[in-house]
Amino acid sequence: MPIVAAMIRIFTDQKAAEATRRAGRDVWSAPAAAEALAVLGVPATVHDLADGPLPAETAPVLVVDHPGDETAAVLLAWTADGGGLVVCGHDPGWTGIAATPAPDEAVVTLGADRLRAFGGWALDETGEVVAHWADGRPAIVTSPHGRGSIAVVGPDLWHTLVRITQGHPVHADGVPPADGSAPVDDGWLKTDDGIALSWAEDRAVPDADAPYEHVHPPARSLPYFATAQADRWREALLGLLLDAAGDAAIPLVAPWPDGAPAAAHVSHDSDANDDPSARAALDAFAAADIPVTWCFLYPGGYSPAVYDEVVAAGHEPGLHYNAMLDTPDCTWGFDRLRDQLAWATYQVRGAAIVTNKNHFTRWEGWDEFYLWCERLGLRVDQSHGPSVQGAIGFPFGSCHPHHPILGAAHGNRPADVLDLPLQTQDLWLTCTDEVRDGFVDEALRRHGVVHLLFHGQHLQHHAEVRSALAETVARLRAAGAAFHTSVALADWTERRRALRVHTTTHDGGVTVTVEGGPGVDGVALLLPPYLVPAGGEPHERVQRYGRAFTQVVLHGRTLRLVAA
């Protein structure tokens, strides 16, 4: 077969978007699309309407803003000549596929998954229907257009991704489910007060005998968010783009070092601030042979020797910002975050602290906390996760580190902070093995990060928590997931995103060149399964994102490929 190289092109209208933002309204399309492809490791370029016609290339085009009549005609002609269009985030009527507004919030059936969508369009039944709205109308369709193809995603995927992963702004207690499994209305504002997913429709219910008693440890399995919905939406987008590429080779940068199928992270919060519980945690992590991110809580603190032992053991020092007390130094505000970060940095003798997790997952507003983190050099925030048992799993729809998108006042740009989602804390004490196995399996399926939080006092006083830690570490290692600190995950994410992958075709083969970043050590590429290294370099057939790929761990910046 002839081999063609390609790179996804994101088509935007920045002038219209900026005008809308100046009016105070969010336009998520271009930043959310770029972030989605960055999470997936997809090479992409952005082409703005103001840049003129798209170059006549074979690469699929992801149209995220309305192109206008003149450009629409050019895109359709290009598609008829063999191109592949994927259209999402605006009224797709210009493609010839009729659409009517969908509900502001509804469920879409995509394969075996029921996924929540926020806004968009219901489509006419044409071509192949890939997904349906709950009322039966088509939600995603693919249709031939001349010698090419058009895929239309009816749900507003960009709004959906931002809303699920970041939730709603938090200004008041959330409304808990009536089944008693998630008492979020506790008078404290937290991330899970703003969950956008549905307590009633988006959780798995292992034991349907409601109501539930919220006790520690739980007497039985409580409902939990079992599907990483935002990750599943990203995978659906990737599938449409790769299908639109046809036989063109689009290399992806694999998600984790050395091509690992998933990653794992353990964080520790120093809530008790007593030396015996700290040393119990140090012993447990040493026995498991894992590095952790140790988030230090103000006020109080360990003895100086314990801070030294934590750092000497190879653990990452972090902050556990406390805005949970009625004292001036433990309330919500930038100055308190700044002062507590300075305190924690002093405790570890000036070692850099770049990771934070808010005590009790405290949160207020929408994006102000990310702006504070930017100002203070905090690179990772771990606050988006469950504070109650019924929110365990994926309450914000993702197990992948990602950059949150700021509001319109800040240009809807991605924050210079990574959100590292949390699935649960203190295994055994907060969930049954059934629930743990469910969310671990899902994180592995989505090739994300299994993020587990522990507290020293529970490791000290509950043998079951220590056993659950050891068992889960062994299981994740057996699945091929390595354990990383938060800063290591941030470093890897930054390295991976700095890479620029270029492809050229020649003599029946493809040459992939990787530029940017400090190097390619540990970098793996995911390639179409019909390609193999021309020089016989080691490679393997893997399943990632629901598709088959040839995976090659790089040993240089250039790789030549030929048909298998």
Side-chain angles (χ1 to χ4, degrees):
M1 85 175 57
I3 299 176
V4 180
M7 177 182 291
I8 302 299
R9 296 176 288 173
I10 303 172
F11 185 90
T12 70
D13 184 352
Q14 293 294 342
K15 182 178 179 180
E18 288 165 6
T20 301
R21 291 173 186 136
R22 285 195 296 271
R25 300 193 304 277
D26 293 305
V27 182
W28 307 119
S29 50
E35 179 62 21
L37 296 188
V39 169
L40 293 162
V42 177
T45 60
V46 175
H47 186 93
D48 186 53
L49 177 63
D51 295 335
L54 280 161
E57 300 174 0
T58 58
V61 176
L62 173 60
V63 185
V64 302
D65 295 322
H66 196 288
D69 293 344
E70 182 178 345
T71 303
V74 172
L75 287 170
L76 291 172
W78 170 82
T79 305
D81 198 33
L85 278 184
V86 178
V87 177
C88 181
H90 59 277
D91 186 336
W94 63 272
T95 66
I97 297 175
T100 54
D104 291 340
E105 180 180 344
V107 169
V108 170
T109 300
L110 176 64
D113 295 315
R114 297 177 72 257
L115 304 178
R116 189 151 300 273
F118 291 87
W121 290 264
L123 311 174
D124 273 7
E125 189 152 352
T126 183
E128 178 185 357
V129 178
V130 178
H132 291 88
W133 292 97
D135 62 8
R137 292 183 294 172
I140 301 175
V141 301
T142 62
S143 179
H145 185 76
R147 294 191 294 111
S149 66
I150 299 175
V152 174
V153 180
D156 185 345
L157 186 55
W158 320 126
H159 181 193
T160 295
L161 287 172
V162 173
R163 185 62 61 209
I164 291 176
T165 56
Q166 296 178 229
H168 296 290
V170 176
H171 301 298
D173 260 343
V175 178
D179 61 17
S181 64
V184 292
D185 54 338
D186 55 4
W188 292 103
L189 302 186
K190 309 170 301 302
T191 57
D192 51 9
D193 287 311
I195 288 173
L197 294 175
S198 168
W199 296 106
E201 297 181 341
D202 293 331
R203 295 187 298 168
V205 185
D207 184 341
D209 188 18
Y212 305 94
E213 189 177 9
H214 196 268
V215 294
H216 299 83
R220 56 199 174 102
S221 294
L222 272 63
Y224 70 105
F225 290 99
T227 301
Q229 293 205 25
D231 296 336
R232 184 67 185 89
W233 275 122
R234 292 190 193 103
E235 289 181 14
L237 172 64
L238 175 64
L240 294 171
L241 289 168
L242 294 181
D243 288 344
D247 294 332
I250 299 178
L252 279 58
V253 182
W256 305 114
D258 301 315
H265 171 64
V266 170
S267 59
H268 174 272
D269 293 351
S270 68
D271 291 14
N273 265 337
D274 66 284
D275 289 6
S277 70
R279 291 202 164 94
L282 282 167
D283 289 345
F285 300 142
D289 191 24
I290 55 173
V292 310
T293 296
W294 200 297
C295 300
F296 297 118
L297 179 75
Y298 176 90
Y302 303 126
S303 66
V306 167
Y307 291 104
D308 293 343
E309 290 174 38
V310 168
V311 175
H315 303 308
E316 175 198 356
L319 177 64
H320 196 32
Y321 169 49
N322 187 358
M324 292 288 293
L325 299 178
D326 292 327
T327 57
D329 53 352
C330 290
T331 54
W332 186 260
F334 172 77
D335 291 347
R336 270 72 72 197
L337 177 66
R338 178 199 60 206
D339 294 347
Q340 291 185 27
L341 177 60
W343 167 86
T345 303
Y346 176 81
Q347 304 306 315
V348 293
R349 304 181 188 274
I353 291 179
V354 299
T355 295
N356 171 74
K357 183 190 307 100
N358 291 345
H359 190 38
F360 272 78
T361 69
R362 275 282 277 122
W363 200 263
E364 294 187 23
W366 168 249
D367 56 8
E368 65 181 7
F369 190 79
Y370 295 125
L371 295 167
W372 298 348
C373 289
E374 287 185 336
R375 291 173 63 186
L376 294 170
L378 289 166
R379 297 170 59 196
V380 184
D381 183 70
Q382 303 184 348
S383 305
H384 276 75
S387 73
V388 290
Q389 291 172 9
I392 282 172
F394 309 96
F396 295 96
S398 183
C399 52
H400 281 270
H402 56 273
H403 288 281
I405 309 298
L406 301 177
H410 303 281
N412 291 137
R413 66 173 175 85
D416 191 18
V417 181
L418 275 179
D419 182 333
L420 179 56
L422 167 69
Q423 281 109 48
T424 194
Q425 52 188 290
D426 299 306
L427 292 172
W428 176 81
L429 198 62
T430 59
C431 65
T432 63
D433 289 351
E434 179 182 28
V435 170
R436 175 200 62 184
D437 293 346
F439 71 71
V440 166
D441 286 346
E442 174 68 357
L444 293 174
R445 276 192 296 271
R446 305 280 83 88
H447 310 293
V449 180
V450 177
H451 176 185
L452 307 171
L453 160 64
F454 289 89
H455 296 83
Q457 64 267 39
H458 300 315
L459 289 165
Q460 179 186 13
H461 296 298
H462 299 290
E464 296 91 343
V465 175
R466 296 193 298 275
S467 295
L469 167 64
E471 291 167 6
T472 309
V473 166
R475 180 182 173 197
L476 288 168
R477 282 197 171 121
F483 282 78
H484 307 268
T485 61
S486 178
V487 68
L489 290 170
D491 287 345
W492 169 256
T493 300
E494 187 175 297
R495 278 188 60 208
R496 179 176 178 248
R497 289 176 178 234
L499 299 175
R500 296 293 176 264
V501 182
H502 304 281
T503 53
T504 56
T505 59
H506 55 82
D507 300 328
V510 172
T511 295
V512 180
T513 303
V514 180
E515 300 176 346
V520 295
D521 184 42
V523 173
L525 295 182
L526 297 172
L527 305 156
Y530 58 81
L531 293 178
V532 295
E537 293 90 340
H539 60 279
E540 60 179 329
R541 177 69 63 89
V542 299
Q543 289 286 325
R544 299 287 186 267
Y545 311 126
R547 302 175 75 97
F549 292 92
T550 297
Q551 178 168 272
V552 182
V553 178
L554 295 178
H555 295 285
R557 288 188 174 269
T558 302
L559 178 67
R560 189 168 185 276
L561 303 162
V562 295

